[in-house]
Amino acid sequence: MPLDQTITRAEVRRLVIPLENPVRLGAVRITERTYVAIRLTLSGGAMGYAYGYDRGMPLFEIVAAAAGRYLGQKLGDKARLAHSALGLTPAPRATMVRGVSLCDIALWDAHAHAVGQPLHAMLGTLRDRVELMPVIGYGMTPEFAAREGAELAARGFRSIKLMIDGADLAFDTQVVSALAEALPKGVRFGMDAHWSWSRAVDALPWCRLAERADALFLEDPVAPTDWRIAAEIRARSSVPLCLGEDAVNLAALRDMAEGSDILRIDAAASGGIGYALDGLALARAQGKSVIPHVFATLHQHLGFAHDAVARIEAILPELGADPIDPFLTQPMQISQGMLVAPMQAGAGLALDWRALDRFITHEQELTT
């Protein structure tokens, strides 16, 4: 039986992949991306993959430590393993959660490969199409926003996420106005503020901008720990707020739900697939919609299996800002602005492992 199979090997890599064409986000010039990737092997031979951004953390060491606690354990013990791998005391859990997240995702991927099903089928497929929301904002100018928005609308996309500056209201007003004017009727956009403010009063001018533009949402106006300030902003503005991508557990996501209308669930950051499923149940119970955070090839499976997911966001491969995309063996399938449900087994994260050899800066293999 697949659930009786054990985890026999874990391979953990830190990868630094240069961008073919560097991009700018505000004043920051991005020339490379650093990832940590893991491949788990089951006793039956199935392999499961996961990867995430290191975000300046010692994620390689964190994932390796978590993976060591998975070795020799049964596939069917996912929930117990995710809990025990966080550690025996509360102190390390906020750090360990990202390592556990990647181990849990890789284990679900291995399970899906072992039974020969796509992850969405294992979760219970409800639909074979879900809306895709492209992200724009790298090297942003009003002219670029207008051109990019019009081109995306012409390709069939019906929602776009715009990363704003958050410090220069005049500049953001120009960009937002240019995008709004360029989009045809029926195409809307949301705004991502990337934790730009620490007081509600500072966020309100951008809230008014979002209201005038009829924005779909304003994402991350404040840091995730400032969810009470987000609740104050929400009470003083009509624009829907998004929070949640950096929740360290379900309790933190529940707190953020008080200050948001849309929950941002990230399986790779907050606890894996098990956490994501609990987060979707929380969203349903509280009447919130969900837009998962990046990693579209993985999170699309949640969208195909759960109607609480309003849309899936993605940095489109042609933008080149996520340079691990060319190494995915199961790229996204897009048709007229919609993601099409994959039929291949797995969670959509299988990597061309050997082709990534030249980007390795650290590597560790653990076996039983």
Side-chain angles (χ1 to χ4, degrees), residues 272-311:
I273 299 298
Y275 159 84
L277 296 176
D278 289 342
L280 285 164
L282 171 67
R284 181 183 295 277
Q286 297 204 3
K288 312 282 185 181
S289 62
V290 172
I291 303 175
H293 176 239
V294 297
F295 304 120
T297 54
L298 168 66
H299 287 136
Q300 64 177 334
H301 291 271
L302 302 179
F304 297 129
H306 291 270
D307 56 10
V309 176
R311 49 185 57 86

mmCIF file of all heavy atoms in Angstrom, residues 272-311:
data_model
loop_
_atom_site.group_PDB
_atom_site.id
_atom_site.type_symbol
_atom_site.label_atom_id
_atom_site.label_comp_id
_atom_site.label_asym_id
_atom_site.label_seq_id
_atom_site.Cartn_x
_atom_site.Cartn_y
_atom_site.Cartn_z
ATOM 1 N N GLY A 272 2.964 23.839 4.441
ATOM 2 C CA GLY A 272 2.765 22.805 3.443
ATOM 3 C C GLY A 272 1.324 22.644 3.006
ATOM 4 O O GLY A 272 0.471 23.496 3.251
ATOM 5 N N ILE A 273 1.050 21.520 2.342
ATOM 6 C CA ILE A 273 -0.287 21.266 1.814
ATOM 7 C C ILE A 273 -1.291 21.074 2.942
ATOM 8 O O ILE A 273 -2.435 21.551 2.862
ATOM 9 C CB ILE A 273 -0.273 20.016 0.897
ATOM 10 C CG1 ILE A 273 0.676 20.237 -0.286
ATOM 11 C CG2 ILE A 273 -1.683 19.706 0.391
ATOM 12 C CD1 ILE A 273 0.287 21.372 -1.198
ATOM 13 N N GLY A 274 -0.878 20.396 4.006
ATOM 14 C CA GLY A 274 -1.793 20.211 5.133
ATOM 15 C C GLY A 274 -2.267 21.540 5.688
ATOM 16 O O GLY A 274 -3.459 21.732 5.946
ATOM 17 N N TYR A 275 -1.345 22.480 5.874
ATOM 18 C CA TYR A 275 -1.705 23.829 6.321
ATOM 19 C C TYR A 275 -2.635 24.500 5.324
ATOM 20 O O TYR A 275 -3.631 25.136 5.712
ATOM 21 C CB TYR A 275 -0.450 24.678 6.510
ATOM 22 C CG TYR A 275 -0.722 26.160 6.484
ATOM 23 C CD1 TYR A 275 -1.149 26.828 7.626
ATOM 24 C CD2 TYR A 275 -0.577 26.904 5.309
ATOM 25 C CE1 TYR A 275 -1.425 28.188 7.603
ATOM 26 C CE2 TYR A 275 -0.835 28.257 5.276
ATOM 27 C CZ TYR A 275 -1.262 28.901 6.426
ATOM 28 O OH TYR A 275 -1.551 30.247 6.382
ATOM 29 N N ALA A 276 -2.331 24.401 4.045
ATOM 30 C CA ALA A 276 -3.137 25.055 3.021
ATOM 31 C C ALA A 276 -4.579 24.545 3.048
ATOM 32 O O ALA A 276 -5.532 25.327 2.906
ATOM 33 C CB ALA A 276 -2.530 24.848 1.640
ATOM 34 N N LEU A 277 -4.758 23.250 3.244
ATOM 35 C CA LEU A 277 -6.105 22.690 3.303
ATOM 36 C C LEU A 277 -6.845 23.209 4.539
ATOM 37 O O LEU A 277 -8.047 23.524 4.472
ATOM 38 C CB LEU A 277 -6.044 21.174 3.306
ATOM 39 C CG LEU A 277 -5.460 20.537 2.042
ATOM 40 C CD1 LEU A 277 -5.354 19.023 2.202
ATOM 41 C CD2 LEU A 277 -6.294 20.893 0.818
ATOM 42 N N ASP A 278 -6.137 23.315 5.659
ATOM 43 C CA ASP A 278 -6.760 23.892 6.861
ATOM 44 C C ASP A 278 -7.102 25.362 6.632
ATOM 45 O O ASP A 278 -8.148 25.851 7.079
ATOM 46 C CB ASP A 278 -5.816 23.762 8.051
ATOM 47 C CG ASP A 278 -5.674 22.329 8.552
ATOM 48 O OD1 ASP A 278 -6.545 21.492 8.215
ATOM 49 O OD2 ASP A 278 -4.696 22.056 9.270
ATOM 50 N N GLY A 279 -6.215 26.079 5.933
ATOM 51 C CA GLY A 279 -6.480 27.488 5.642
ATOM 52 C C GLY A 279 -7.690 27.671 4.747
ATOM 53 O O GLY A 279 -8.477 28.613 4.926
ATOM 54 N N LEU A 280 -7.874 26.778 3.776
ATOM 55 C CA LEU A 280 -9.050 26.841 2.915
ATOM 56 C C LEU A 280 -10.320 26.577 3.711
ATOM 57 O O LEU A 280 -11.356 27.221 3.477
ATOM 58 C CB LEU A 280 -8.908 25.832 1.777
ATOM 59 C CG LEU A 280 -7.929 26.234 0.675
ATOM 60 C CD1 LEU A 280 -7.549 25.036 -0.181
ATOM 61 C CD2 LEU A 280 -8.518 27.351 -0.193
ATOM 62 N N ALA A 281 -10.252 25.651 4.660
ATOM 63 C CA ALA A 281 -11.411 25.395 5.513
ATOM 64 C C ALA A 281 -11.733 26.616 6.366
ATOM 65 O O ALA A 281 -12.911 26.970 6.553
ATOM 66 C CB ALA A 281 -11.151 24.176 6.396
ATOM 67 N N LEU A 282 -10.698 27.285 6.877
ATOM 68 C CA LEU A 282 -10.904 28.519 7.643
ATOM 69 C C LEU A 282 -11.549 29.589 6.779
ATOM 70 O O LEU A 282 -12.492 30.279 7.210
ATOM 71 C CB LEU A 282 -9.558 29.011 8.179
ATOM 72 C CG LEU A 282 -9.554 30.397 8.829
ATOM 73 C CD1 LEU A 282 -10.355 30.389 10.113
ATOM 74 C CD2 LEU A 282 -8.115 30.860 9.098
ATOM 75 N N ALA A 283 -11.061 29.748 5.557
ATOM 76 C CA ALA A 283 -11.622 30.749 4.649
ATOM 77 C C ALA A 283 -13.102 30.476 4.388
ATOM 78 O O ALA A 283 -13.933 31.396 4.412
ATOM 79 C CB ALA A 283 -10.842 30.760 3.335
ATOM 80 N N ARG A 284 -13.424 29.223 4.143
ATOM 81 C CA ARG A 284 -14.824 28.873 3.889
ATOM 82 C C ARG A 284 -15.688 29.188 5.102
ATOM 83 O O ARG A 284 -16.773 29.756 4.988
ATOM 84 C CB ARG A 284 -14.931 27.397 3.519
ATOM 85 C CG ARG A 284 -16.356 26.942 3.201
ATOM 86 C CD ARG A 284 -16.405 25.464 2.903
ATOM 87 N NE ARG A 284 -15.675 25.143 1.687
ATOM 88 C CZ ARG A 284 -16.188 25.259 0.474
ATOM 89 N NH1 ARG A 284 -17.429 25.719 0.319
ATOM 90 N NH2 ARG A 284 -15.477 24.938 -0.581
ATOM 91 N N ALA A 285 -15.203 28.845 6.287
ATOM 92 C CA ALA A 285 -15.983 29.063 7.507
ATOM 93 C C ALA A 285 -16.212 30.545 7.775
ATOM 94 O O ALA A 285 -17.255 30.934 8.320
ATOM 95 C CB ALA A 285 -15.268 28.418 8.692
ATOM 96 N N GLN A 286 -15.241 31.390 7.370
ATOM 97 C CA GLN A 286 -15.350 32.820 7.634
ATOM 98 C C GLN A 286 -15.857 33.611 6.436
ATOM 99 O O GLN A 286 -15.916 34.840 6.481
ATOM 100 C CB GLN A 286 -13.996 33.355 8.097
ATOM 101 C CG GLN A 286 -13.523 32.735 9.404
ATOM 102 C CD GLN A 286 -12.553 33.616 10.144
ATOM 103 O OE1 GLN A 286 -12.246 34.735 9.726
ATOM 104 N NE2 GLN A 286 -12.062 33.148 11.270
ATOM 105 N N GLY A 287 -16.195 32.928 5.360
ATOM 106 C CA GLY A 287 -16.725 33.618 4.191
ATOM 107 C C GLY A 287 -15.695 34.446 3.451
ATOM 108 O O GLY A 287 -16.040 35.438 2.797
ATOM 109 N N LYS A 288 -14.421 34.033 3.535
ATOM 110 C CA LYS A 288 -13.353 34.750 2.832
ATOM 111 C C LYS A 288 -13.025 34.018 1.535
ATOM 112 O O LYS A 288 -13.141 32.792 1.446
ATOM 113 C CB LYS A 288 -12.075 34.791 3.675
ATOM 114 C CG LYS A 288 -12.254 35.202 5.117
ATOM 115 C CD LYS A 288 -12.424 36.682 5.273
ATOM 116 C CE LYS A 288 -12.475 37.060 6.752
ATOM 117 N NZ LYS A 288 -12.659 38.506 6.943
ATOM 118 N N SER A 289 -12.574 34.772 0.540
ATOM 119 C CA SER A 289 -12.011 34.135 -0.650
ATOM 120 C C SER A 289 -10.503 34.000 -0.466
ATOM 121 O O SER A 289 -9.913 34.582 0.449
ATOM 122 C CB SER A 289 -12.335 34.931 -1.907
ATOM 123 O OG SER A 289 -11.777 36.226 -1.848
ATOM 124 N N VAL A 290 -9.870 33.230 -1.338
ATOM 125 C CA VAL A 290 -8.445 32.929 -1.223
ATOM 126 C C VAL A 290 -7.770 33.183 -2.556
ATOM 127 O O VAL A 290 -8.277 32.802 -3.614
ATOM 128 C CB VAL A 290 -8.227 31.459 -0.801
ATOM 129 C CG1 VAL A 290 -6.747 31.085 -0.874
ATOM 130 C CG2 VAL A 290 -8.770 31.211 0.595
ATOM 131 N N ILE A 291 -6.613 33.848 -2.508
ATOM 132 C CA ILE A 291 -5.703 33.932 -3.644
ATOM 133 C C ILE A 291 -4.361 33.409 -3.143
ATOM 134 O O ILE A 291 -3.670 34.093 -2.387
ATOM 135 C CB ILE A 291 -5.543 35.365 -4.178
ATOM 136 C CG1 ILE A 291 -6.880 35.962 -4.579
ATOM 137 C CG2 ILE A 291 -4.590 35.366 -5.376
ATOM 138 C CD1 ILE A 291 -6.803 37.425 -5.016
ATOM 139 N N PRO A 292 -3.971 32.195 -3.494
ATOM 140 C CA PRO A 292 -2.684 31.675 -3.027
ATOM 141 C C PRO A 292 -1.524 32.549 -3.498
ATOM 142 O O PRO A 292 -1.611 33.237 -4.516
ATOM 143 C CB PRO A 292 -2.614 30.279 -3.641
ATOM 144 C CG PRO A 292 -4.041 29.903 -3.890
ATOM 145 C CD PRO A 292 -4.709 31.186 -4.277
ATOM 146 N N HIS A 293 -0.434 32.482 -2.750
ATOM 147 C CA HIS A 293 0.724 33.328 -3.012
ATOM 148 C C HIS A 293 1.737 32.602 -3.897
ATOM 149 O O HIS A 293 2.305 31.585 -3.502
ATOM 150 C CB HIS A 293 1.379 33.724 -1.684
ATOM 151 C CG HIS A 293 2.638 34.512 -1.835
ATOM 152 N ND1 HIS A 293 3.852 34.094 -1.336
ATOM 153 C CD2 HIS A 293 2.874 35.701 -2.443
ATOM 154 C CE1 HIS A 293 4.775 34.991 -1.620
ATOM 155 N NE2 HIS A 293 4.215 35.976 -2.283
ATOM 156 N N VAL A 294 1.965 33.109 -5.084
ATOM 157 C CA VAL A 294 2.933 32.617 -6.079
ATOM 158 C C VAL A 294 2.934 31.091 -6.206
ATOM 159 O O VAL A 294 1.948 30.440 -5.918
ATOM 160 C CB VAL A 294 4.364 33.174 -5.823
ATOM 161 C CG1 VAL A 294 4.360 34.683 -5.958
ATOM 162 C CG2 VAL A 294 4.926 32.765 -4.465
ATOM 163 N N PHE A 295 4.020 30.517 -6.720
ATOM 164 C CA PHE A 295 4.156 29.080 -6.950
ATOM 165 C C PHE A 295 2.890 28.503 -7.605
ATOM 166 O O PHE A 295 2.254 27.575 -7.102
ATOM 167 C CB PHE A 295 4.481 28.341 -5.655
ATOM 168 C CG PHE A 295 5.714 28.860 -4.971
ATOM 169 C CD1 PHE A 295 5.652 29.378 -3.691
ATOM 170 C CD2 PHE A 295 6.941 28.863 -5.628
ATOM 171 C CE1 PHE A 295 6.788 29.879 -3.069
ATOM 172 C CE2 PHE A 295 8.094 29.361 -5.005
ATOM 173 C CZ PHE A 295 8.007 29.870 -3.720
ATOM 174 N N ALA A 296 2.572 29.063 -8.769
ATOM 175 C CA ALA A 296 1.296 28.735 -9.423
ATOM 176 C C ALA A 296 1.177 27.279 -9.827
ATOM 177 O O ALA A 296 0.084 26.710 -9.798
ATOM 178 C CB ALA A 296 1.093 29.635 -10.655
ATOM 179 N N THR A 297 2.300 26.646 -10.233
ATOM 180 C CA THR A 297 2.190 25.251 -10.656
ATOM 181 C C THR A 297 1.760 24.359 -9.503
ATOM 182 O O THR A 297 1.112 23.332 -9.716
ATOM 183 C CB THR A 297 3.521 24.738 -11.243
ATOM 184 O OG1 THR A 297 4.567 24.959 -10.300
ATOM 185 C CG2 THR A 297 3.833 25.437 -12.554
ATOM 186 N N LEU A 298 2.097 24.733 -8.281
ATOM 187 C CA LEU A 298 1.626 24.006 -7.098
ATOM 188 C C LEU A 298 0.234 24.456 -6.700
ATOM 189 O O LEU A 298 -0.692 23.644 -6.590
ATOM 190 C CB LEU A 298 2.593 24.236 -5.931
ATOM 191 C CG LEU A 298 2.087 23.773 -4.557
ATOM 192 C CD1 LEU A 298 1.926 22.265 -4.515
ATOM 193 C CD2 LEU A 298 3.021 24.261 -3.448
ATOM 194 N N HIS A 299 0.063 25.755 -6.477
ATOM 195 C CA HIS A 299 -1.188 26.256 -5.896
ATOM 196 C C HIS A 299 -2.389 26.117 -6.822
ATOM 197 O O HIS A 299 -3.535 26.154 -6.355
ATOM 198 C CB HIS A 299 -1.006 27.707 -5.463
ATOM 199 C CG HIS A 299 -0.154 27.859 -4.238
ATOM 200 N ND1 HIS A 299 0.837 28.810 -4.128
ATOM 201 C CD2 HIS A 299 -0.130 27.167 -3.068
ATOM 202 C CE1 HIS A 299 1.414 28.714 -2.946
ATOM 203 N NE2 HIS A 299 0.850 27.731 -2.285
ATOM 204 N N GLN A 300 -2.148 25.954 -8.121
ATOM 205 C CA GLN A 300 -3.281 25.738 -9.016
ATOM 206 C C GLN A 300 -4.092 24.514 -8.593
ATOM 207 O O GLN A 300 -5.316 24.478 -8.772
ATOM 208 C CB GLN A 300 -2.806 25.583 -10.456
ATOM 209 C CG GLN A 300 -1.939 24.366 -10.714
ATOM 210 C CD GLN A 300 -1.543 24.211 -12.173
ATOM 211 O OE1 GLN A 300 -2.235 24.669 -13.075
ATOM 212 N NE2 GLN A 300 -0.411 23.554 -12.415
ATOM 213 N N HIS A 301 -3.439 23.516 -8.017
ATOM 214 C CA HIS A 301 -4.147 22.307 -7.614
ATOM 215 C C HIS A 301 -5.187 22.620 -6.534
ATOM 216 O O HIS A 301 -6.254 21.994 -6.493
ATOM 217 C CB HIS A 301 -3.159 21.249 -7.128
ATOM 218 C CG HIS A 301 -2.306 20.693 -8.226
ATOM 219 N ND1 HIS A 301 -2.676 19.596 -8.975
ATOM 220 C CD2 HIS A 301 -1.113 21.101 -8.726
ATOM 221 C CE1 HIS A 301 -1.743 19.337 -9.874
ATOM 222 N NE2 HIS A 301 -0.780 20.240 -9.741
ATOM 223 N N LEU A 302 -4.874 23.584 -5.663
ATOM 224 C CA LEU A 302 -5.859 24.013 -4.671
ATOM 225 C C LEU A 302 -7.052 24.662 -5.370
ATOM 226 O O LEU A 302 -8.210 24.470 -4.959
ATOM 227 C CB LEU A 302 -5.229 25.002 -3.696
ATOM 228 C CG LEU A 302 -4.008 24.532 -2.907
ATOM 229 C CD1 LEU A 302 -3.495 25.654 -2.014
ATOM 230 C CD2 LEU A 302 -4.328 23.290 -2.078
ATOM 231 N N GLY A 303 -6.785 25.422 -6.416
ATOM 232 C CA GLY A 303 -7.862 26.082 -7.148
ATOM 233 C C GLY A 303 -8.775 25.123 -7.877
ATOM 234 O O GLY A 303 -9.988 25.331 -7.956
ATOM 235 N N PHE A 304 -8.203 24.059 -8.425
ATOM 236 C CA PHE A 304 -9.031 23.081 -9.132
ATOM 237 C C PHE A 304 -9.886 22.259 -8.166
ATOM 238 O O PHE A 304 -10.920 21.725 -8.563
ATOM 239 C CB PHE A 304 -8.144 22.142 -9.960
ATOM 240 C CG PHE A 304 -7.378 22.830 -11.047
ATOM 241 C CD1 PHE A 304 -6.011 22.653 -11.168
ATOM 242 C CD2 PHE A 304 -8.016 23.672 -11.947
ATOM 243 C CE1 PHE A 304 -5.292 23.293 -12.170
ATOM 244 C CE2 PHE A 304 -7.308 24.324 -12.948
ATOM 245 C CZ PHE A 304 -5.947 24.134 -13.052
ATOM 246 N N ALA A 305 -9.457 22.192 -6.904
ATOM 247 C CA ALA A 305 -10.154 21.340 -5.941
ATOM 248 C C ALA A 305 -11.012 22.108 -4.932
ATOM 249 O O ALA A 305 -11.797 21.483 -4.213
ATOM 250 C CB ALA A 305 -9.141 20.476 -5.179
ATOM 251 N N HIS A 306 -10.880 23.461 -4.874
ATOM 252 C CA HIS A 306 -11.597 24.226 -3.857
ATOM 253 C C HIS A 306 -12.141 25.518 -4.462
ATOM 254 O O HIS A 306 -11.373 26.337 -4.973
ATOM 255 C CB HIS A 306 -10.674 24.556 -2.688
ATOM 256 C CG HIS A 306 -10.290 23.350 -1.883
ATOM 257 N ND1 HIS A 306 -11.014 22.917 -0.802
ATOM 258 C CD2 HIS A 306 -9.269 22.470 -2.033
ATOM 259 C CE1 HIS A 306 -10.452 21.828 -0.304
ATOM 260 N NE2 HIS A 306 -9.386 21.533 -1.039
ATOM 261 N N ASP A 307 -13.446 25.727 -4.352
ATOM 262 C CA ASP A 307 -14.040 26.922 -4.957
ATOM 263 C C ASP A 307 -13.835 28.172 -4.116
ATOM 264 O O ASP A 307 -14.194 29.275 -4.542
ATOM 265 C CB ASP A 307 -15.526 26.707 -5.260
ATOM 266 C CG ASP A 307 -16.344 26.299 -4.037
ATOM 267 O OD1 ASP A 307 -15.812 26.351 -2.908
ATOM 268 O OD2 ASP A 307 -17.519 25.923 -4.210
ATOM 269 N N ALA A 308 -13.248 28.056 -2.916
ATOM 270 C CA ALA A 308 -12.891 29.256 -2.163
ATOM 271 C C ALA A 308 -11.754 30.013 -2.836
ATOM 272 O O ALA A 308 -11.556 31.199 -2.578
ATOM 273 C CB ALA A 308 -12.489 28.880 -0.731
ATOM 274 N N VAL A 309 -11.003 29.328 -3.691
ATOM 275 C CA VAL A 309 -9.898 29.981 -4.417
ATOM 276 C C VAL A 309 -10.483 30.804 -5.558
ATOM 277 O O VAL A 309 -11.073 30.265 -6.499
ATOM 278 C CB VAL A 309 -8.902 28.937 -4.947
ATOM 279 C CG1 VAL A 309 -7.816 29.619 -5.778
ATOM 280 C CG2 VAL A 309 -8.276 28.159 -3.790
ATOM 281 N N ALA A 310 -10.316 32.121 -5.460
ATOM 282 C CA ALA A 310 -10.891 33.020 -6.465
ATOM 283 C C ALA A 310 -10.074 33.040 -7.750
ATOM 284 O O ALA A 310 -10.615 33.103 -8.855
ATOM 285 C CB ALA A 310 -10.994 34.433 -5.898
ATOM 286 N N ARG A 311 -8.762 32.987 -7.624
ATOM 287 C CA ARG A 311 -7.856 33.035 -8.769
ATOM 288 C C ARG A 311 -6.469 32.628 -8.290
ATOM 289 O O ARG A 311 -6.198 32.608 -7.098
ATOM 290 C CB ARG A 311 -7.826 34.431 -9.409
ATOM 291 C CG ARG A 311 -7.616 35.554 -8.419
ATOM 292 C CD ARG A 311 -7.715 36.935 -9.052
ATOM 293 N NE ARG A 311 -8.975 37.175 -9.734
ATOM 294 C CZ ARG A 311 -10.077 37.630 -9.134
ATOM 295 N NH1 ARG A 311 -10.074 37.882 -7.824
ATOM 296 N NH2 ARG A 311 -11.163 37.833 -9.828
#
